[in-house]
């Protein structure tokens, strides 16, 4: 059986990053709620358990907790931030509000090479990322300090005899430079995992799961958008059940320039999977008329997609399952999935689905991050031109067209977006950027073109770098490139007289504007 680590979620927005760090060690992991019963944990059979951070204090009246029985399972446990504090609290130590809060970078002095600090020499110092008000004041019996910081004398603790460890800092974030090594020390050094999880093994597991879920259970349709997620999901499901699958591509009028034709041609030429194209451009524009609230846009688009898929299923003589390319970041930003993490926004293929849907969902990528999906696509033999495509949101240009969505405004945005991508490709940056696109703002400003006064809309350019979409930073595009993009948009796109560049990171912003 594949070795695996269990992550118990206490509501941190960094929980998904813990999963990323563990998977980088080639060990499979899953996130489950903090209240998972101890018997269920034992039955799941993890080689190790990680308790995530979270926004609560252990002294809150409704503070999230964990079944204390997990500390007697003999399974190695690592508590991170709140996870450290709840472990300390439950085992008899003392957690108190600190007068010396720590937020941001701090220096960790290594006192002992143990647990998540196995690779580090005693006396050395490492930069770490802190984010806490409470701190550990006294240790439970059997524990000893293995690391300290100026604000946390007990910033890392260990009880090696019971394989219990805790760190006050967030080793999963990029701001802890040696965090990946620390996670590797715990996963491999303490838990004894050998890193046997690969995309080949995941593909085998996912194919078997799809077969078990759908084989001889009726027709399956796939919601093909043309992006890498839906394409990989469709190819994987076709590998599992063959022509029991039919792909449905909906031209919703919210796509990029020439995308509908490119998707249909690529899918028919490369994969030879039955494909049905649905022209629903007018239906989406009518449904979105007058709508400016981004959540309403997403809900409307999600509901209409499902209506169209159900209609397409009926035209095929009926279908029982709908394949979607839902990913981990989609889920964590849409709902409190497997834990109490805060909702950020609804994704059309998660939070935007109608409550009553006749089709049962098949989501073979639900546990993967974007880079893992690309790796899976390569494992399935898919061409690089599809695998390397930058992410494109399910609701399409509707959430990049801020304000009302109309055909003329979409055309303005589509032309501006085409220019952005052309110049990014020409500069040789397309494959180095996670995502680059244009956003049409409902902001008019005064301009001068020739001798005439203009009062037109504004285009914002967004370009970010990321590894998984959970965090992102803006790309420092060359000024000459930005100048070319701005000049071309203003000269070639009627209705725009101003171009701005978005220099916001995620967090606090999101990648998409809506």
């Amino acid at each position: 059986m594949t070795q695996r680590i269990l992550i118990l979620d206490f509501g941190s927005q960094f929980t998904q990053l813990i999963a990323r760090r563990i998977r980088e060690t080639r060990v499979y992991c899953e996130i489950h709620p903090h209240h998972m019963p101890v018997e269920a944990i034992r039955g799941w059979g993890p080689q190790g358990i990680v308790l995530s951070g979270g926004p609560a204090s252990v002294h809150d009246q409704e503070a999230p907790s964990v079944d204390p029985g997990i500390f007697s399972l003999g399974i190695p446990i690592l508590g991170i931030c709140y996870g450290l504090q709840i472990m300390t609290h439950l085992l008899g130590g003392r957690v108190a509000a600190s007068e010396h809060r720590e937020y941001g970078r701090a220096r960790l002095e290594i006192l002992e090479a143990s647990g998540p600090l196995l690779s580090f020499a005693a006396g050395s110092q490492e930069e770490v990322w802190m984010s806490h008000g409470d701190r550990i004041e006294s240790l439970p019996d059997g524990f000893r300090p293995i690391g300290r910081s100026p604000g946390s004398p007990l910033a890392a603790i260990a009880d090696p005899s019971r394989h219990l460890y805790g760190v006050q800092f967030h080793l999963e974030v990029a701001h802890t430079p040696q965090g990946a090594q620390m996670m590797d020390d715990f996963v491999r050094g303490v838990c004894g995992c050998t890193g046997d999880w690969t995309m080949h093994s995941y593909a085998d597991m996912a194919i078997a799961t799809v077969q078990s879920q759908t084989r001889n259970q009726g027709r399956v349709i796939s919601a093909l958008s043309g992006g890498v997620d839906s394409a990989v999901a469709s190819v994987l499901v076709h590998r599992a059940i063959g022509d029991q699958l039919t792909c449905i591509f909906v031209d919703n009028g919210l796509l990029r320039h020439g995308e509908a034709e490119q998707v249909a041609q690529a899918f028919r030429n490369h994969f030879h999977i039955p494909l049905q194209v649905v022209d629903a451009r007018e239906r989406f524009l009518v449904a979105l008329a007058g709508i400016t609230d981004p959540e309403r846009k997403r809900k409307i688009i999600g509901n209409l997609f499902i209506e169209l898929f159900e209609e397409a299923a009926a035209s095929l003589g009926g279908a029982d399952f709908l394949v979607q390319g839902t990913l981990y970041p989609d889920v964590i930003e849409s709902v409190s999935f497997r834990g109490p993490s805060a909702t950020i926004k609804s994704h059309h293929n998660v939070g935007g689905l109608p409550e009553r849907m006749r089709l049962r969902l098949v989501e073979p990528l639900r546990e993967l991050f974007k880079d893992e999906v690309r790796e899976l696509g390569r494992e399935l033999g898919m061409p690089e031109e599809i695998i390397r495509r930058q992410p494109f949101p399910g609701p399409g240009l509707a959430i990049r067209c801020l304000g009302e969505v109309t055909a003329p405004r979409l055309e303005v945005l589509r032309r501006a977006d085409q220019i952005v991508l052309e110049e990014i490709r020409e500069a040789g940056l397309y494959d180095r950027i996670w995502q680059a696109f244009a956003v049409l703002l409902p902001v008019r400003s005064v301009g001068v073109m020739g001798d005439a006064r203009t009062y037109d809309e504004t285009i914002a350019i967004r370009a970010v770098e990321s590894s998984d979409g959970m965090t992102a930073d803006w790309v420092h595009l060359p000024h000459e490139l930005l100048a070319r993009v701005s000049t071309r948009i203003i000269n070639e796109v009627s209705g725009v007289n101003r171009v701005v560049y978005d220099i916001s990171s995620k967090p606090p912003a999101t990648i998409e504007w809506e």
Side-chain angles (χ1 to χ4, degrees):
M1 183 177 70
T2 299
Q3 297 172 330
R4 50 192 183 170
I5 300 292
L6 173 65
I7 303 168
L8 295 181
D9 180 22
F10 288 93
S12 172
Q13 290 300 326
F14 295 146
T15 300
Q16 301 299 320
L17 295 181
I18 299 174
R20 288 293 301 118
R21 295 296 169 260
I22 293 173
R23 291 188 185 183
E24 285 170 1
T25 69
R26 291 293 182 184
V27 175
Y28 183 70
C29 62
E30 286 187 11
I31 298 170
H32 288 263
H34 63 85
H35 49 72
M36 186 178 185
V38 68
E39 287 305 316
I41 293 173
R42 182 185 284 113
W44 199 77
Q47 274 63 50
I49 300 172
V50 176
L51 309 180
S52 85
S57 166
V58 297
H59 301 297
D60 292 344
Q61 187 172 356
E62 298 183 358
S65 191
V66 68
D67 189 326
I70 71 169
F71 302 114
S72 301
L73 291 174
I75 299 172
I77 297 176
L78 170 64
I80 298 175
C81 197
Y82 182 84
L84 158 71
Q85 294 169 8
I86 195 65
M87 178 168 62
T88 299
H89 179 70
L90 292 174
L91 293 177
R94 181 169 179 268
V95 180
S98 173
E99 297 180 359
H100 304 283
R101 298 181 179 183
E102 284 185 301
Y103 292 97
R105 290 180 173 84
R107 300 296 296 180
L108 178 77
E109 180 185 355
I110 311 297
L111 302 177
E112 177 186 329
S114 182
L117 305 177
L118 279 172
S119 297
F120 302 86
S124 64
Q125 297 206 7
E126 296 295 333
E127 185 176 291
V128 297
W129 185 261
M130 294 283 191
S131 181
H132 67 99
D134 293 356
R135 75 176 187 181
I136 309 302
E137 291 290 336
S138 64
L139 293 176
D141 290 342
F143 281 84
R144 60 178 182 259
I146 59 173
R148 65 187 176 193
S149 71
S152 298
L154 302 172
I157 65 175
D159 180 350
S161 65
R162 289 189 288 174
H163 312 295
L164 303 179
Y165 303 88
V167 295
Q168 185 60 75
F169 54 90
H170 287 279
L171 55 79
E172 70 271 28
V173 302
H175 300 301
T176 299
Q178 296 300 320
Q181 181 60 57
M182 295 175 187
M183 186 64 80
D184 189 86
D185 282 348
F186 174 71
V187 171
R188 292 175 181 264
V190 176
C191 301
C193 295
T194 56
D196 63 348
W197 185 66
T198 64
M199 273 303 126
H200 180 79
S201 64
Y202 183 87
D204 289 343
M205 179 183 69
I207 287 171
T209 300
V210 170
Q211 289 173 339
S212 174
Q213 183 180 2
T214 65
R215 180 73 81 184
N216 301 321
Q217 297 294 315
R219 180 165 290 280
V220 181
I221 61 173
S222 178
L224 181 65
S225 70
V228 63
D229 304 334
S230 65
V232 171
S234 298
V235 171
L236 186 142
V237 171
H238 187 256
R239 185 76 57 88
I241 61 175
D243 288 347
Q244 186 182 342
L245 171 72
T246 298
C247 290
I248 310 295
F249 175 68
V250 175
D251 184 356
N252 57 11
L254 306 173
L255 303 173
R256 290 170 287 199
H257 176 75
E259 191 164 28
E261 297 80 9
Q262 293 168 9
V263 169
Q265 182 179 16
F267 225 73
R268 284 175 174 141
N269 290 347
H270 285 297
F271 307 121
H272 310 292
I273 301 173
L275 174 66
Q276 184 178 114
V277 178
V278 178
D279 185 350
R281 290 173 291 182
E282 188 62 29
R283 286 179 65 173
F284 276 89
L285 283 176
V286 170
L288 291 168
I291 305 300
T292 59
D293 178 73
E295 279 296 288
R296 287 192 65 195
K297 287 181 185 178
R298 288 176 176 270
K299 296 288 186 181
I300 288 169
I301 291 167
N303 286 342
L304 188 48
F305 263 121
I306 295 303
E307 288 179 19
L308 289 162
F309 293 139
E310 289 182 335
E311 291 173 11
S315 72
L316 294 168
D320 298 288
F321 299 92
L322 172 65
V323 178
Q324 289 197 139
T326 307
L327 305 188
Y328 241 164
D330 296 337
V331 172
I332 197 63
E333 288 190 348
S334 297
V335 291
S336 297
F337 176 64
R338 296 184 171 176
S341 302
T343 297
I344 305 298
K345 60 187 177 183
S346 295
H347 285 261
H348 83 287
N349 56 345
V350 183
L353 296 178
E355 292 182 5
R356 295 183 179 180
M357 185 178 70
R358 292 187 294 273
L359 295 166
R360 285 174 284 174
L361 288 178
V362 177
E363 298 173 306
L365 312 181
R366 192 180 179 93
E367 306 293 342
L368 298 183
F369 294 91
K370 178 73 74 172
D371 58 324
E372 294 173 325
V373 173
R374 290 194 169 103
E375 188 179 349
L376 178 58
R378 293 185 179 97
E379 177 66 32
L380 295 170
M382 296 174 64
E384 286 294 318
E385 64 187 77
I386 292 177
I387 291 172
R388 291 201 309 266
R389 288 193 69 183
Q390 291 184 0
F392 186 64
L397 298 180
I399 58 169
R400 295 178 179 174
C401 184
L402 276 60
E404 186 176 8
V405 179
T406 65
R409 295 191 78 226
L410 284 170
E411 187 56 30
V412 168
L413 176 56
R414 193 173 285 116
R415 293 173 63 195
D417 189 70
Q418 181 184 7
I419 290 170
V420 171
L421 292 178
E422 285 176 355
E423 291 295 335
I424 291 290
R425 284 193 173 96
E426 182 65 25
L429 297 175
Y430 183 85
D431 290 332
R432 295 164 53 189
I433 294 175
W434 173 265
Q435 220 167 338
F437 54 90
V439 180
L440 179 60
L441 308 183
V443 176
R444 292 185 178 274
S445 62
V446 174
V448 178
M449 291 187 177
D451 294 323
R453 175 186 183 275
T454 61
Y455 190 58
D456 289 332
E457 291 187 301
T458 301
I459 286 288
I461 302 170
R462 182 78 159 136
V464 298
E465 52 190 5
S466 178
S467 62
D468 49 38
M470 290 302 299
T471 60
D473 201 2
W474 62 281
V475 178
H476 293 244
L477 292 177
H479 291 177
E480 298 79 6
L481 173 59
L482 289 171
R484 286 198 304 274
V485 171
S486 176
T487 299
R488 284 195 60 191
I489 289 175
I490 291 173
N491 286 344
E492 299 175 28
V493 183
S494 179
V496 175
N497 67 356
R498 194 176 297 271
V499 175
V500 298
Y501 188 47
D502 182 351
I503 58 170
S504 309
S505 61
K506 175 187 179 180
T510 54
I511 294 177
E512 298 290 344
W513 277 48
E514 289 191 342

